[in-house]
């Protein structure tokens, strides 16, 4: 029987590339998105459905899963991809901004896992793939809120894999480095505070400077597919993040810090 993947945030970027890649590999794809009208032409394939799913609206999670089961009869892999970044100094973040950030990147992600787990336990197999970030392992300037969510995703995923193993359910983490998507320009919200204007501008300039040099999301889609199909218990896959992770581990903290400051905070 053809395998089925359910992906959150499949309207653009890594989610869309992943949906297309699984489709190319002849999977059935439930490409969920907040606004199904955003789906590209690829989504007219009969192996694709696009149920509405907004991580800030818990009822849409259950409805999207039920719709997927009604159309395809099964779910084998859940890819928790949807997310955005709240950037800026923590001192300037409002509680609404922080709640929205954690609601989307953490609580929403938890709600999709909780919604598929009864099914995965019953069928005694299933793979949950959570898209974190190298920002879930390393903190960079002006990213406290966003990286806080990704560290949370790392922690809960690493812990959950032990409790889910007896049920034949695997948990995987994808930790991309910078990738060229809508993320930097449309997927980022900024918290502001006048005392931090200089650093905010430096980080904005850094992001604009690097955007055109970043790799396309296809390579992350391939890493997600590998995580779904390699039958291993490997937890972490870090497409385009390996070098940073290696340097962060190997370099003395003093040298690592000055490297980050020179890279991101130069005028
Ligand atoms: N690009 C990078 O450099 C990078 C690096 C590391 C990790 N990541 C992670 O990769 C994931 C995908 O990001 P991307 O780079 O592909 O950016 P993107 O092109 O902006 O895609 C983000 C997706 O998440 C969706 N989304 C946002 N809020 C949502 C909500 N409340 N409910 C449902 N969907 C929601 C967006 O939907 P709309 O179209 O409706 O806005 C969009 O489909 C994110 O989790 C991000 O943190 C990205």
């Amino acid at each position: 029987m053809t395998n089925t993947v359910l992906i959150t945030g499949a309207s653009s970027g890594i989610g869309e590339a992943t949906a297309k890649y699984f489709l190319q590999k002849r999977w059935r794809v439930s490409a969920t998105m907040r606004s199904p009208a955003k789906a590209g032409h690829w989504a007219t394939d009969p192996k694709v459905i696009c149920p509405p799913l907004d991580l800030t609206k818990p009822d849409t999670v259950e409805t999207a899963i039920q719709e997927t089961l009604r159309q395809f009869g099964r779910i084998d892999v859940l890819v928790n991809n949807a997310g955005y970044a709240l950037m800026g100094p923590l001192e300037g973040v409002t509680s609404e901004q922080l709640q929205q950030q954690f609601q989307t990147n953490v609580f929403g992600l938890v709600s999709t896992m909780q919604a598929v787990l009864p099914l995965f336990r019953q069928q005694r197999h299933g793979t949950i793939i959570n898209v974190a970030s190298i920002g879930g392992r390393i903190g960079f300037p002006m990213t406290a809120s966003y990286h806080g969510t990704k560290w949370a995703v790392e922690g809960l995923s690493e812990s959950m894999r032990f409790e889910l193993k007896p049920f034949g359910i695997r948990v995987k983490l994808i930790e991309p480095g910078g990738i060229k998507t809508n993320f930097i320009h449309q997927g980022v919200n900024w918290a502001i505070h006048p005392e931090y204007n200089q650093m905010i501008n430096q980080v904005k300039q850094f992001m604009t400077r690097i955007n055109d040099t970043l790799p396309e999301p296809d390579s992350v889609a391939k890493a997600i597919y590998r995580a779904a199909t390699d039958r291993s218990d490997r937890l972490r896959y870090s497409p385009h993040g390996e070098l940073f992770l290696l340097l962060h581990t190997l370099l003395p903290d003093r040298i690592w810090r000055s490297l980050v400051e020179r890279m991101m905070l130069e005028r």
Side-chain angles (χ1 to χ4, degrees):
M1 212 183 190
T2 316
N3 284 334
T4 299
V5 59
L6 186 148
I7 304 166
T8 64
S11 65
S12 67
I14 293 169
E16 182 182 33
T18 303
K20 288 179 180 169
Y21 195 70
F22 275 79
L23 185 61
Q24 196 183 315
K25 295 288 183 184
R26 309 182 97 66
W27 282 51
R28 286 181 300 199
V29 179
S30 179
T32 74
M33 50 191 87
R34 283 198 284 202
S35 315
K38 283 190 177 176
H41 185 67
W42 57 273
T44 56
D45 189 291
K47 279 180 170 333
V48 180
I49 58 169
C50 297
L53 190 157
D54 183 333
L55 291 171
T56 63
K57 297 178 181 155
D59 54 315
T60 65
V61 172
E62 196 54 49
T63 311
I65 286 169
Q66 289 313 322
E67 180 61 10
T68 307
L69 290 174
R70 201 175 66 76
Q71 298 268 358
F72 295 150
R74 59 189 286 166
I75 300 172
D76 302 282
V77 175
L78 165 67
V79 180
N80 267 318
N81 160 75
Y84 74 96
L86 172 59
M87 304 275 294
L90 194 77
E91 191 180 349
V93 170
T94 66
S95 62
E96 288 76 20
Q97 282 178 314
L98 198 60
Q99 262 164 17
Q100 183 81 0
Q101 174 74 129
F102 273 79
Q103 178 58 46
T104 305
N105 291 12
V106 182
F107 303 134
L109 169 140
V110 169
S111 71
T112 62
M113 293 196 290
Q114 287 180 330
V116 296
L117 278 174
L119 174 75
F120 281 8
R121 271 192 299 98
Q122 195 192 353
Q123 66 195 21
R124 303 212 59 94
H125 87 92
T127 303
I128 295 171
I129 301 177
N130 290 332
V131 179
S133 166
I134 56 163
R137 308 268 299 280
I138 308 172
F140 291 108
M142 295 288 113
T143 57
S145 310
Y146 173 56
H147 284 186
T149 66
K150 294 301 186 181
W151 282 61
V153 170
E154 291 271 340
L156 61 87
S157 304
E158 185 166 323
S159 178
M160 280 176 68
R161 68 175 173 156
F162 293 104
E163 68 204 38
L164 295 179
K165 191 178 176 189
F167 302 106
I169 302 167
R170 297 179 312 155
V171 181
K172 305 273 184 170
L173 276 162
I174 306 294
E175 302 166 328
I179 306 293
K180 196 192 293 177
T181 63
N182 289 340
F183 190 68
I184 284 186
H185 293 305
Q186 291 166 33
V188 172
N189 287 3
W190 281 90
I192 49 166
H193 188 295
E195 292 296 327
Y196 300 82
N197 277 346
Q198 180 178 330
M199 201 181 281
I200 292 173
N201 287 332
Q202 285 166 326
V203 172
K204 281 185 177 174
Q205 279 165 19
F206 165 75
M207 288 166 68
T208 306
R209 223 170 33 241
I210 60 161
N211 194 41
D212 285 342
T213 67
L214 296 177
E216 300 289 334
D218 312 44
S219 49
V220 183
K222 284 183 189 159
I224 292 174
Y225 184 78
R226 181 151 34 95
T229 55
D230 69 7
R231 294 172 185 269
S232 77
D233 286 331
R234 176 176 167 187
L235 177 63
R236 292 188 165 87
Y237 303 74
S238 312
H240 304 292
E242 296 94 343
L243 181 62
F244 274 110
L245 291 168
L246 189 70
L247 289 175
H248 181 251
T249 309
L250 294 182
L251 291 176
D253 186 53
R254 173 178 55 82
I255 297 178
W256 168 258
R257 262 186 292 128
S258 75
L259 199 72
V260 171
E261 282 164 358
R262 257 189 287 156
M263 182 177 72
M264 295 183 69
L265 303 179
E266 69 181 18
R267 289 159 148 271

